Amino acid sequence: MTAQKSVYIKTYGCQMNVYDSDRMTDALVPLGYRETDSLDTADLVILNTCHIREKAAEKVYSELGRLRVMKEERALEGREMLVGVAGCVAQAEGQEILRRAPSVDMVFGPQSYHRLPEIMERARLGVGVVETDFDGDDKFEVVPAPARQAIRARGVTAFLTVQEGCDKFCTFCVVPYTRGAEISRPVGKVLAEAERLAAAGVREVTLLGQNVNGYHGEGPDGRPWGLGDLLRRLAEVPGLDRLRYTTSHPRDMDADLLAVHRDLPQVMPYLHLPVQSGSDRILDAMNRRHTRDDYLKLVARIRAARPDIALTSDFIVGFPGETEAEFAETLSLVEEVGFAAAYTFKYSPRPGTPAASLGDQVDEAVGSERLLRLQALVNRQQQAFSASMVGRTLEVLFEKPGRYPGQLIGRSPYLQSVVVAADAARIGTIARVTIEDIRPNSLMGHLVDAPAEAVDVAGAGGWS
Ligand code: SAH
Ligand code: SF4
Ligand code: F3S
C-alpha cells in the first residue's frame, strides 16, 4: 500500500471554485491523498485561482513566490512538494504561469479536473504540465466512480454546481473565456448528488452556476428542464429543507421561477441578481442586454411573487466612459430598489475583454471615490435591512458552534448569520428564533422556547 499523502487546496474567487476544490479533493482520494489544512506538511499544494479582477490574479503570484521558498527548503530535506495552479488564472494565463513561476509543476483549467490523475503523473516526470483544453467531456462525470462516491457532506449546508460557463459576454468579464460555453448538468445527475448530500445530513443546498437561472439540463423525459422545474423536483428530496441558487442574470428570470418563489416554501426568500449599473448607456456598453427599467420592472414582479424577498446585487463603478451623471443613476437605482446587501467593485480592465481596449478609462481616483459613495449607501441599506429583523421571529438553520461556549451560529432565510445560545445537539436542525439585536455581520437572537437567562449569556460575550 502506498503511503498516505496530503493535499492542501487554497481557494480564491467564487463559490464555484469552492465547489470545485472539494471535487478535486474527492478526485485525489483514490490517488492516496487526504485533505489537510496544514500548508507546511502538504505533499501537494493546489491554488484554485480567480481571474475576475487584476488584484485577484496578482495575489496568486505572490502566493507562488512564497511556495517557491517552501519548495526549495523541502528539496533540501529530500521531500517532494508538488505545486499546481488550477481555476481561472490557470485557464487565462496557461504557459505564462510556468514562465513567471518556474516552481509550478502543473497548470490546469476549470474544465480539466477529471484529468487530474493523468496530469499528476506527467507532472511527476519533472516537466511543467499545462492543461487548458475544453474537450467537451463532463468534468463532473469523468471523475472516477470511487471519487464520486466520496462526494461527501462537509456540514449541514452545501453547494451543488448545476450549470457552468457563460454565453453572455458582458464586455468587462473574463468568465466566458475562463469557464467556457454554458453547459447544464442533466437533472438525473443533479438529483443523485442532492440525494447523496441529503442522506449525509445536508439540510440546505445552494445550486451554483455563472448563469444558474439559465439552467436547461436534460430532464428524465428527455426534454430540457428549466431551473424552476429542477427546484420543484429537488424540493421533493426528503431532508432538503432549504434551497437557494446563485448567480442569476436578470434576462433569465422567467415567470416559472417567480412562481416557484411564490409557491415553494423550500426556496428561500433571497435572490442575488446583479445589475452592475443604473445607467442605460453604461448597461448597453457593458452588453448586459437589459435596461434600468427592465430591471426595476423585474424587481417589482419578483416582489409581487414573494413580498419579503431579500434582494442583493453586484455593481461595477468606473466602467470606461462612466460620467458623474451616469454614476448618479446607479445611486438612484440603489435607492429605488433597496437592497439587503450588495457587492461593489471598481472596474478592473481585464486582458482580452472588449471593455479593456475602450479609450476613455475612468481615472483611478474618480473610481475609488465613487466606490466609497456607493458602499456607504449600500451599507446603510444593509444595516436598515438587519435592523428591520429586530423583534421578528425567524426560522434559523443551525450550522456550527459560535465563538463562545454555548453559542451556535445559524442562518436566517435571508442568509444572515444568527448567533443564538443553544445546545450543540441542535446543529442541523431548524428552530424559531426571535431577533433581539444586530451586530455588523450578524443578528443576535434567542430560541423562542429558551429560558430568558440563556438569552443574556448569548448577548454577554462581547461579540462584535
Ligand atoms: N455570472 C456572475 C459573474 C461572476 S463575476 C454574475 O453575473 O454575477 C462577479 C462580479 O464581479 C460581477 O457581477 C461583476 O460585478 C464583478 N466583475 C466582473 N468583472 C469585473 C471587472 N472586470 N472589474 C470589476 N468587477 C468585475
Ligand atoms: Fe460575466 Fe456577464 Fe457572464 Fe456574469 S453574465 S459571468 S458578468 S459575462
Ligand atoms: Fe473568479 Fe473564475 Fe469565479 S474568474 S469569480 S473564479 S468563475
Side-chain angles (χ1 to χ4, degrees):
M1 207 181 112
T2 51
Q4 178 96 112
K5 295 185 170 191
S6 62
V7 54
Y8 177 91
I9 305 188
K10 183 160 183 175
T11 308
Y12 303 81
C14 62
Q15 293 114 325
M16 200 161 281
N17 265 8
V18 175
Y19 178 84
D20 282 351
S21 290
D22 286 346
R23 296 295 77 73
M24 279 191 261
T25 311
D26 294 339
L28 286 163
V29 170
L31 304 188
Y33 285 89
R34 65 174 171 75
E35 196 173 3
T36 175
D37 49 13
S38 154
L39 176 59
D40 295 335
T41 55
D43 304 289
L44 167 64
V45 177
I46 297 175
L47 304 184
N48 193 8
T49 63
C50 174
H51 200 244
I52 202 82
R53 284 167 291 275
E54 191 182 354
K55 256 195 213 142
E58 283 306 313
K59 263 191 226 159
V60 173
Y61 286 102
S62 53
E63 187 65 30
L64 287 175
R66 288 202 287 161
L67 289 176
R68 180 175 56 90
V69 177
M70 284 186 68
K71 191 170 172 164
E72 283 166 4
E73 285 168 2
R74 291 280 188 91
L76 291 176
E77 297 164 14
R79 284 165 58 212
E80 179 193 64
M81 175 172 148
L82 282 175
V83 176
V85 178
C88 292
V89 177
Q91 188 64 40
E93 299 191 1
Q95 197 73 39
E96 172 70 7
I97 298 177
L98 288 186
R99 200 189 59 75
R100 276 183 71 177
S103 59
V104 171
D105 300 288
M106 48 197 177
V107 175
F108 48 101
Q111 304 308 341
S112 35
Y113 299 153
H114 53 288
R115 289 199 293 269
L116 204 47
E118 166 210 329
I119 293 170
M120 298 261 301
E121 215 165 282
R122 279 157 55 206
R124 283 233 168 74
L125 302 175
V127 253
V129 177
V130 178
E131 189 69 72
T132 51
D133 288 348
F134 292 138
D135 63 5
D137 288 348
D138 184 341
K139 75 178 195 191
F140 303 108
E141 295 311 319
V142 191
V143 166
R148 261 185 282 151
Q149 289 311 318
I151 289 186
R152 64 183 199 273
R154 289 166 164 85
V156 300
T157 63
F159 293 135
L160 202 179
T161 296
V162 301
Q163 180 275 328
E164 195 168 7
C166 182
D167 299 338
K168 295 274 192 304
F169 290 93
C170 300
T171 56
F172 51 80
C173 184
V174 293
V175 171
Y177 313 98
T178 62
R179 292 274 167 174
E182 234 177 276
I183 59 120
S184 294
R185 295 177 71 190
V187 172
K189 309 282 185 195
V190 173
L191 194 57
E193 193 167 326
E195 283 169 346
R196 215 149 43 216
L197 289 168
V202 169
R203 300 275 79 93
E204 174 178 309
V205 164
T206 302
L207 307 181
L208 299 181
Q210 265 94 20
N211 274 293
V212 73
N213 59 343
Y215 178 84
H216 54 272
E218 190 186 319
D221 53 4
R223 296 219 308 271
W225 282 28
L227 188 63
D229 299 321
L230 181 66
L231 286 165
R232 277 195 201 88
R233 183 66 190 83
L234 290 174
E236 292 169 8
V237 175
L240 284 191
D241 300 319
R242 291 180 160 196
L243 299 169
R244 303 178 187 275
Y245 58 93
T246 199
T247 296
S248 297
H249 192 286
R251 284 270 299 217
D252 295 330
M253 212 59 220
D254 64 18
D256 188 49
L257 202 44
L258 298 192
V260 156
H261 273 285
R262 186 191 59 212
D263 300 337
L264 277 192
Q266 289 90 342
V267 175
M268 290 292 100
Y270 177 96
L271 180 64
H272 185 57
L273 194 65
V275 61
Q276 315 298 353
S277 167
S279 150
D280 281 341
R281 196 193 68 83
I282 296 294
L283 286 170
D284 186 49
M286 287 176 163
N287 191 33
R288 287 292 292 177
R289 298 190 252 180
H290 62 79
T291 62
R292 172 193 180 99
D293 191 51
D294 293 336
Y295 188 84
L296 292 174
K297 286 203 172 105
L298 177 58
V299 165
R301 287 173 57 217
I302 295 166
R303 284 185 167 147
R306 183 76 209 228
D308 69 327
I309 201 160
L311 291 173
T312 64
S313 188
D314 291 344
F315 293 92
I316 296 179
V317 304
F319 184 81
E322 185 189 68
T323 64
E324 173 59 30
E326 285 160 349
F327 170 66
E329 291 185 79
T330 296
L331 294 176
S332 77
L333 178 134
V334 175
E335 296 276 14
E336 220 167 301
V337 174
F339 290 99
Y343 298 93
T344 55
F345 306 103
K346 186 159 76 165
Y347 171 71
S348 170
R350 306 306 292 129
T353 59
S357 49
L358 292 175
D360 41 1
Q361 301 287 323
V362 170
D363 189 74
E364 277 286 314
V366 171
S368 302
E369 190 266 343
R370 286 180 189 165
L371 187 63
L372 286 177
R373 277 153 68 200
L374 179 58
Q375 278 170 346
L377 173 59
V378 161
N379 288 345
R380 277 202 302 279
Q381 291 195 340
Q382 187 171 349
Q383 288 305 304
F385 183 70
S386 294
S388 74
M389 297 292 142
V390 175
R392 285 184 60 184
T393 295
L394 306 177
E395 293 206 328
V396 172
L397 169 61
F398 292 108
E399 284 179 34
K400 56 186 177 196
R403 198 155 86 177
Y404 298 100
Q407 283 185 339
L408 293 186
I409 299 181
R411 245 192 271 193
S412 79
Y414 312 105
L415 207 59
Q416 297 144 307
S417 274
V418 185
V419 183
V420 181
D423 192 86
R426 292 215 186 234
I427 290 177
T429 68
I430 294 174
R432 282 156 58 78
V433 169
T434 301
I435 305 303
E436 48 197 8
D437 202 0
I438 62 171
R439 295 288 184 269
N441 297 307
S442 55
L443 307 176
M444 311 291 297
H446 63 267
L447 288 168
V448 167
D449 54 2
E453 298 88 317
V455 176
D456 294 337
V457 174
W463 185 273
S464 63

